[in-house]
Amino acid sequence: MNDDGTNYAGGARRRFLRTGMGVAGALALPGGLATRAFAVDHPAIGTYPAGSSGNVVFIGIAVPRTGTYAVQGEDELKGYQLAVEHINSGHELIKKISPKTTKGVLGKELKYGVADSAAKPNDAVQAQQRFITEDKAVLMTGSTSSAVAVALNKLAQREKVLYVAGISGSNDTTGKDCVRYGFRQCFYGQTAAAAIGPIVVKTFGKNKKAAYLTPDYTYGHTVTKSMQDYLATAGWTTATNQVAPLGAPDYSSYLLNVANSGADVLLNVNWGHDAVLSTQQAKQFGIFDRMKLVVPYQTPFLAREVGGDLMAGVYAATDFWWTLEDKYPLAKMFVDAFDKKYGYKPEWGANNAYMEFALWADAVENAGSFYPPDVIKSYEAGRKIQSTVGEVYFRKEDHQLVRPVVIVKGKAAKEMKNKEDYYEVVEIVPGAPLMQKPDAFGCNLGPYV
């Protein structure tokens, strides 16, 4: 699909090319700056040098615009679009994150195409293959499902085109399914569990029984396993783990088992519309009259969509919440710019998407080239980068960003200061101590060439 919602029907370069508003990119820059990426003669690899030989470079974006993750996919897309606009115009926020950026990346204007992945790996791979073949994409992004992220990791390594994950909570993305050509910015199962676990134990006590609602794919299984492993250290046991397919229309049978499990706490690992539907139905079953709710991996817009005070007092782990603007100057710049453009406070999917492009711009600028191995080595240099959640850097061993995890607690309606004040930030947990050893989940990045 096009980014205006119309169907994709070939001719990707003609239909998909879009430019951020009011920018001239490399076309307005001196010729020397526009061509400085080619100071070193590198052999052809992937879409290099064809994809970066002119004044424009192309990015392929595949996000779910239909299906159970569609709402989150659209929010994610807005973050990507704002980042492209800011990179092309040399916005002050981009310069704070990527100091060497002027306008464009290495003086080249960014254009992009958008496809609807529907959170299906095959759809995402087919779309990105078209972007590589027809548009010579130098970068792929997207995923709101970790199954998509894993599939695009494999495509990136095979085609030797860089991939930055959109939203992906599975340990496997930078674990056993990691690749040299893939990078992830967001938090994931292991870090979510290590961050929220202590608060869950402190709040509800030791030796409790937990019930899990788990989506049946790599994200759900690894997040649930990480939570089980952490809580077991405090004597918690699993009363039941109800595994449902992605996009399940009805959770009655699963919730009946939860209701009869004798659990003290329900950990809902579902995501997107599945999280909304299962939480609403759990309330209808009277489950929250007998057990507490915890959300180990927060779904953007969950509080808004479930309605009422259902999330009041509920703890959740997340990447970003807009009130972090009170602590981080770059967060305020991002929230203000996003709100001005789109008319609402950004959720963490949009923030995550924005940061992926900003971090990629920084890697390319510091590499001084679009040659993929050089860009990869720039990511792997361990450079400290300022972000909307403070200083961050990538681990060279698994290409995972070292970044804090944010713990939030839902507010009751009477506590909200405005219509978007759904959560209180209760803790910002530093990232490095949360992370497993780089090889603990089986990461083997593979070759550069």
Side-chain angles (χ1 to χ4, degrees):
M1 294 180 70
N2 283 336
D3 52 2
D4 61 2
T6 57
N7 288 331
Y8 178 92
R13 181 167 296 279
R14 183 175 64 256
R15 290 180 171 88
F16 277 89
L17 292 183
R18 279 196 57 174
T19 307
M21 296 175 61
V23 300
L27 300 177
L29 296 172
L33 182 59
T35 59
R36 66 188 168 109
F38 303 101
V40 178
D41 185 23
H42 291 298
I45 184 172
T47 58
Y48 180 91
S52 52
S53 59
N55 292 321
V56 170
V57 292
F58 185 93
I59 300 171
I61 302 173
V63 292
R65 311 193 73 182
T66 56
T68 189
Y69 290 172
V71 171
Q72 291 71 36
E74 289 295 331
D75 184 60
E76 189 181 356
L77 177 58
K78 289 180 174 64
Y80 288 132
Q81 292 170 325
L82 183 64
V84 169
E85 179 180 320
H86 280 187
I87 291 169
N88 281 338
S89 63
H91 192 277
E92 182 183 0
L93 175 54
I94 287 293
K95 291 181 178 180
K96 296 285 187 182
I97 301 166
S98 176
K100 294 184 179 181
T101 294
T102 52
K103 288 186 177 181
V105 175
L106 293 181
K108 295 177 186 291
E109 184 181 13
L110 303 186
K111 293 187 177 181
Y112 62 89
V114 178
D116 178 13
S117 71
K120 296 176 180 178
N122 286 345
D123 289 8
V125 168
Q126 289 172 15
Q128 294 290 8
Q129 189 68 67
R130 288 196 298 265
F131 289 138
I132 291 170
T133 302
E134 299 180 20
D135 300 289
K136 307 303 178 189
V138 300
L139 180 70
M140 300 183 291
T141 193
S143 82
T144 310
S145 156
S146 289
V148 169
V150 167
L152 292 179
N153 262 353
K154 293 176 182 177
L155 178 67
Q157 190 67 25
R158 186 182 76 222
E159 296 294 330
K160 299 297 183 287
V161 175
L162 288 171
Y163 168 64
V164 292
I167 296 170
S168 175
S170 173
N171 294 339
D172 295 343
T173 305
T174 50
K176 71 180 182 64
D177 293 310
C178 74
V179 295
R180 184 70 63 182
Y181 278 71
F183 296 86
R184 175 169 61 181
Q185 190 271 158
C186 69
F187 77 127
Y188 54 102
Q190 164 68 28
T191 53
I196 201 171
I199 292 175
V200 171
V201 173
K202 181 180 179 181
T203 302
F204 302 115
K206 296 182 177 181
N207 304 313
K208 298 296 182 179
K209 294 180 180 179
Y212 294 84
L213 288 176
T214 302
D216 191 12
Y217 72 107
T218 180
Y219 154 75
H221 295 303
T222 61
V223 172
T224 292
K225 177 67 163 53
S226 294
M227 288 302 301
Q228 289 173 323
D229 288 349
Y230 183 88
L231 293 175
T233 66
W236 284 50
T237 56
T238 298
T240 185
N241 180 21
Q242 295 295 305
V243 180
L246 192 67
D250 183 6
Y251 287 85
S252 298
S253 62
Y254 309 107
L255 292 168
L256 182 62
N257 291 330
V258 169
N260 293 329
S261 69
D264 302 297
V265 177
L266 170 61
L267 291 99
N268 194 351
V269 183
N270 281 307
W271 213 81
H273 185 64
D274 291 350
V276 174
L277 193 60
S278 57
T279 302
Q280 290 173 331
Q281 291 181 7
K283 179 177 174 59
Q284 293 166 5
F285 268 74
I287 285 174
F288 301 134
D289 295 332
R290 64 188 85 173
M291 61 186 76
K292 299 297 185 180
L293 174 64
V294 170
V295 180
Y297 203 90
Q298 185 207 40
T299 295
F301 304 108
L302 179 60
R304 184 194 74 182
E305 294 195 8
V306 298
D309 284 344
L310 197 48
M311 294 299 293
V314 174
Y315 288 100
T318 188
D319 254 347
F320 182 84
W321 182 244
W322 66 268
T323 60
L324 290 174
E325 66 180 10
D326 296 333
K327 180 177 176 61
Y328 299 112
L330 271 60
K332 179 168 178 54
M333 293 174 69
F334 172 72
V335 171
D336 287 348
F338 189 95
D339 196 7
K340 181 178 179 181
K341 184 173 180 65
Y342 297 112
Y344 70 92
K345 303 296 186 185
E347 295 272 342
W348 74 263
N351 175 263
N352 183 62
Y354 185 99
M355 285 304 307
E356 283 286 27
F357 278 7
L359 293 167
W360 169 75
D362 179 74
V364 177
E365 294 284 0
N366 277 279
S369 169
F370 286 96
Y371 181 60
D374 286 352
V375 179
I376 293 168
K377 290 172 185 177
S378 178
Y379 270 109
E380 293 173 345
R383 189 170 49 256
K384 302 295 177 66
I385 305 167
Q386 295 306 311
S387 83
T388 53
V389 291
E391 189 175 79
V392 299
Y393 64 95
F394 279 94
R395 286 205 306 195
K396 66 179 180 179
E397 298 91 347
D398 61 359
H399 292 182
Q400 175 63 51
L401 190 73
V402 180
R403 49 148 303 137
V405 175
V406 180
I407 305 299
V408 295
K409 183 180 180 182
K411 290 186 174 183
K414 63 182 180 181
E415 300 171 332
M416 294 171 60
K417 297 177 182 178
N418 58 60
K419 66 180 182 179
E420 294 176 282
D421 187 30
Y422 293 111
Y423 293 101
E424 170 193 0
V425 174
V426 296
E427 191 168 349
I428 301 168
V429 188
L434 303 175
M435 298 171 72
Q436 80 292 352
K437 292 181 179 179
D439 61 350
F441 295 148
C443 177
N444 181 5
L445 288 170
Y448 293 92
V449 297

